[in-house]
Amino acid sequence: MPIKLPDNLPAYDVLAREGVMVMSDELASKQDIRPLRIALLNLMPKKIQTENQFARLIGATPLQIELNLIRMSEHRTRNTAAEHMRSFYRPFSEVMETGEKFDGLIITGAPIEHLPYEEVTYWDELTQVFDWTQTHVHSTFGVCWGGMAMINHFHGIPKIDLPAKAFGCVRHRNLAPASPYLRGFSDDMVIPVSRWTEIRREDVQAAGLPILIDSAETGPCLVEDAAHRALYIFNHLEYDSGTLKEEYDRDVASGTPINIPANYYPDNDPSKPPQNRWRSHAHLLYGNWISEIYLTTPFDIDQIGASRTDLRNR
């Protein structure tokens, strides 16, 4: 089954050319089923690129997905056309006022790791979002800085500054092969990492949260928070093949000190096209997340938040 997108959203044509099943609002309205309502709170500067990345992954399942794009109410992006934001995004304040509910919510990262959380201009509203998920979202997926912020809000776990950027394709271990989120996962895998901060293993363990994927080099990657119906991933399985290259080229052009992303270019040579070694695990993870939502979310969407049960308590 397809992902339902506005037919004038750039991701519609991009995904259709890639062979992803997409469906317009008009065609979806003729089907007698309830699509899963998945929202994307997009905090990244390049909104369209991020929309494509996540829509590609959640649109690859056999279920019909309705993607809703949300932004912070007062924050204005400088990297995406205002017309695009007006046409496709709603401010969180409007979503909250309507009282509508969602089967799933993805909260993206943001390039503001150097700031203390309280100095982020939209921090107060973002904490409102975190609390709102407990009554209006069945399952939340916090990604990179979004996951760090959420785990800090609910558990007080700090982000720790790194002496150098963790940057490249890093080997990770599957610590929970029986987890429904890791169905089909290898015992180890390569995952793109791009961050200046980390969440420490001992802090996660002290909070009693299970680490599902971990790296000896860069620490916890995927953490489950069943009590808050959430997953936190601190790395970037959603990245396109060339995303790390774009980040590296940007920093080189601006004169920012940066290492060549580790284990990314063949022979560690930036003149060679990078190889994608994480795509299959990206589809597995987000497909498994969507499957778990489908298996556990109420058919009556108004019942979301009525019971704070474990996500997998059927």
Side-chain angles (χ1 to χ4, degrees):
M1 293 295 289
I3 179 170
K4 183 164 79 73
L5 301 172
D7 56 13
N8 56 341
L9 183 73
Y12 189 98
D13 288 336
V14 171
L15 300 188
R17 287 195 299 268
E18 293 178 1
V20 177
M21 295 180 66
V22 292
M23 176 182 285
S24 67
D25 292 334
E26 179 182 3
L27 185 57
S29 67
K30 299 176 182 177
Q31 293 194 319
D32 189 22
I33 59 175
R34 179 173 93 72
L36 292 181
R37 301 195 74 224
I38 306 296
L40 176 66
L41 178 59
N42 193 348
L43 306 176
M44 291 295 285
K46 295 183 177 181
K47 305 294 186 190
I48 295 174
Q49 181 186 54
T50 303
E51 295 158 18
N52 292 345
Q53 290 171 347
F54 284 107
R56 178 180 296 116
L57 294 173
I58 67 174
T61 75
L63 303 170
Q64 186 186 134
I65 306 293
E66 176 189 299
L67 183 62
N68 296 259
L69 300 177
I70 301 174
R71 62 171 174 83
M72 292 284 89
S73 301
E74 301 302 324
H75 183 72
R76 294 292 179 264
T77 181
R78 293 173 295 178
N79 297 279
T80 303
E83 179 60 30
H84 181 86
M85 300 302 295
R86 284 194 298 270
S87 298
F88 301 113
Y89 281 80
R90 288 184 297 157
F92 172 69
S93 57
E94 177 183 306
V95 173
M96 185 171 62
E97 287 172 7
T98 63
E100 61 193 282
K101 298 188 176 185
F102 297 90
D103 300 292
L105 169 69
I106 297 170
I107 301 175
T108 74
I112 49 177
E113 294 176 85
H114 61 289
L115 291 175
Y117 291 123
E118 296 76 12
E119 293 183 14
V120 174
T121 56
Y122 50 77
W123 179 248
D124 288 344
E125 185 178 29
L126 188 59
T127 60
Q128 277 189 296
V129 173
F130 297 153
D131 292 334
W132 167 85
T133 64
Q134 300 306 285
T135 53
H136 289 75
V137 178
H138 184 63
S139 179
T140 304
F141 210 144
V143 178
C144 200
W145 183 87
M148 292 182 179
M150 197 170 180
I151 203 172
N152 174 265
H153 177 70
F154 285 128
H155 299 280
I157 295 176
K159 60 180 173 70
I160 307 298
D161 291 338
L162 293 170
K165 187 176 185 179
F167 191 42
C169 296
V170 179
R171 297 217 73 86
H172 287 71
R173 297 173 296 152
N174 177 354
L175 300 185
S179 168
Y181 298 111
L182 301 185
R183 290 189 190 100
F185 267 63
S186 305
D187 293 335
D188 72 349
M189 67 221 71
V190 170
I191 298 178
V193 179
S194 179
R195 49 182 166 82
W196 289 94
T197 55
E198 68 176 355
I199 297 295
R200 289 185 174 164
R201 188 178 298 108
E202 54 266 32
D203 291 335
V204 177
Q205 293 169 336
L209 300 176
I211 300 172
L212 307 186
I213 298 176
D214 185 75
S215 166
E217 183 179 347
T218 56
C221 171
L222 181 66
V223 174
E224 182 178 4
D225 184 356
H228 294 95
R229 302 190 304 279
L231 290 174
Y232 312 125
I233 186 169
F234 307 124
N235 301 327
H236 289 286
L237 271 173
E238 83 281 359
Y239 268 10
D240 297 326
S241 301
T243 306
L244 289 177
K245 172 178 168 54
E246 292 172 11
E247 295 181 4
Y248 174 70
D249 290 347
R250 175 200 63 202
D251 288 347
V252 169
S254 66
T256 302
I258 188 66
N259 293 325
I260 296 172
N263 306 313
Y264 178 56
Y265 295 106
D267 303 319
N268 209 34
D269 182 352
S271 69
K272 296 181 179 180
Q275 294 178 327
N276 189 312
R277 294 181 288 153
W278 61 90
R279 184 183 297 115
S280 58
H281 283 103
H283 280 278
L284 279 173
L285 179 60
Y286 284 90
N288 288 340
W289 178 61
I290 292 294
S291 295
E292 280 299 290
I293 290 174
Y294 173 73
L295 290 171
T296 59
T297 195
F299 180 80
D300 180 356
I301 199 168
D302 290 333
Q303 293 301 309
I304 287 176
S307 175
R308 292 176 52 82
T309 57
D310 187 312
L311 180 61
R312 297 190 303 277
N313 182 17
R314 297 181 177 84

